Amino acid sequence: MTLPLIPGAATGPSAHRRIQLGRRIRLLVAATITYNVVEAVIAISAGTAAGSTALIGFGLDSVIEVSSAAAVAWQFTGADPEKREKTALRIIAVSFFALAAYVTVESVRALLGGAEAEHSTAGIVLAAVSLAIMPGLSYAQRRAGRELGSRTAVADSRQTLLCTYLSAVLLAGLVVNSLFGWSWADPIAALVIAAVAIKEGREAWRGDACCAPGTLAAADPAQGCAGDCCAGER
C-alpha cells in the first residue's frame, strides 16, 4: 500500500519506508483507541460516583480522542489514503471544537455554582497514569507522521498531546480540591485548555497540522510552519 506525502514535498521516504511508517501509525492509533476506551469507562464511572464534572468531561474527551484516532485509522485503511485526508482532518477538527464547547460549558456551570465534587482516588490515579502515558504516544505518532508527511497523523498526535494537558489539569484540580476544597481551580484551568483546543481545531480544519520534513511548510515559514510547531521536532 502506498501512503501520501503532504502536497508540495520535495523529498520523502522510500516506498518501503512509507509502508513501515503506515504500519507503525496504525499500531499507534490502535493503542491510542484501546487506552482511551478504557480511560473513558473509568473516568465517566468514577466521575458519576464522585459527582465530578471534571472527571466526566475527561472521560468524554477520551471518547472524542477515539473518534480522532478512528479517523486516522479510516484514512490509512483505504486504497488511496490521500483522497481521504481532507475528510479525516475535518473530523479531527470537529472533535477539537466539540471538546472545547463541552469544557467551556461545564467550566462555566461549575464556576457559577455547580455541585462540588467529592474526593476520587480512582480519578487521581487515572489522571496520573494518563499524564505518564500520553506524551509518549503523542511523540511517537507525531514523529512517524512527520516523516511520512501525513497531516492527519500529526493532527491526531496533537489531540493526544492535548489529553496530556487535560490530564495535568484534572490531576491538579482533583488534588487541590481534595486537599483544600478549592473547587474553582479546575474549571479555570480547563477554560485555558478549551482555548487551546479551539486553536488546534482551526489549524486542523485548514490543514495546517504542522510541517513535515522536506515540505514547503518546513522550508518556508510563510507556508505554515511557525512558532512552536516545528521546534525540537527536526
Side-chain angles (χ1 to χ4, degrees):
M1 180 178 79
T2 59
L3 298 176
L5 293 176
I6 294 177
T11 60
S14 65
H16 177 67
R17 180 59 176 164
R18 289 166 68 187
I19 292 173
Q20 287 183 323
L21 290 169
R23 185 180 300 115
R24 182 181 302 174
I25 289 172
R26 288 193 294 271
L27 289 174
L28 290 169
V29 167
T32 301
I33 290 175
T34 300
Y35 180 81
N36 277 285
V37 168
V38 174
E39 184 179 71
V41 171
I42 295 176
I44 293 174
S45 299
T48 301
S52 170
T53 299
L55 260 175
I56 294 174
F58 186 72
L60 292 178
D61 166 68
S62 299
V63 174
I64 292 172
E65 282 198 56
V66 170
S67 72
S68 175
V72 178
W74 169 76
Q75 181 195 357
F76 286 108
T77 55
D80 188 358
E82 187 172 358
K83 290 183 178 180
R84 294 182 170 185
E85 184 172 65
K86 183 175 181 179
T87 300
L89 278 170
R90 293 295 171 86
I91 293 173
I92 292 172
V94 170
S95 72
F96 273 120
F97 295 144
L99 170 60
Y102 177 83
V103 169
T104 299
V105 170
E106 292 305 315
S107 296
V108 170
R109 287 180 59 186
L111 288 172
L112 293 178
E116 295 186 3
E118 299 175 2
H119 168 78
S120 176
T121 300
I124 291 174
V125 171
L126 176 64
V129 171
S130 296
L131 189 58
I133 291 176
M134 287 301 174
L137 277 176
S138 175
Y139 173 78
Q141 189 171 353
R142 175 159 50 246
R143 184 174 180 179
R146 280 173 46 79
E147 184 178 349
L148 180 61
S150 169
R151 288 190 177 99
T152 46
V154 175
D156 185 59
S157 76
R158 292 169 75 172
Q159 173 77 297
T160 304
L161 186 61
L162 182 61
C163 181
T164 302
Y165 302 147
L166 285 175
S167 299
V169 168
L170 176 66
L171 181 60
L174 292 176
V175 170
V176 167
N177 186 43
S178 294
L179 294 178
F180 306 109
W182 295 350
S183 58
W184 49 264
D186 179 49
I188 290 293
L191 287 173
V192 176
I193 297 299
V196 174
I198 292 173
K199 175 180 179 294
E200 298 292 349
R202 290 178 59 190
E203 291 181 357
W205 187 271
R206 293 195 307 262
D208 299 334
C210 203
C211 55
T215 66
L216 291 178
D220 182 3
Q223 297 294 329
C225 181
D228 297 330
C229 183
C230 301
E233 294 183 13
R234 296 177 189 266

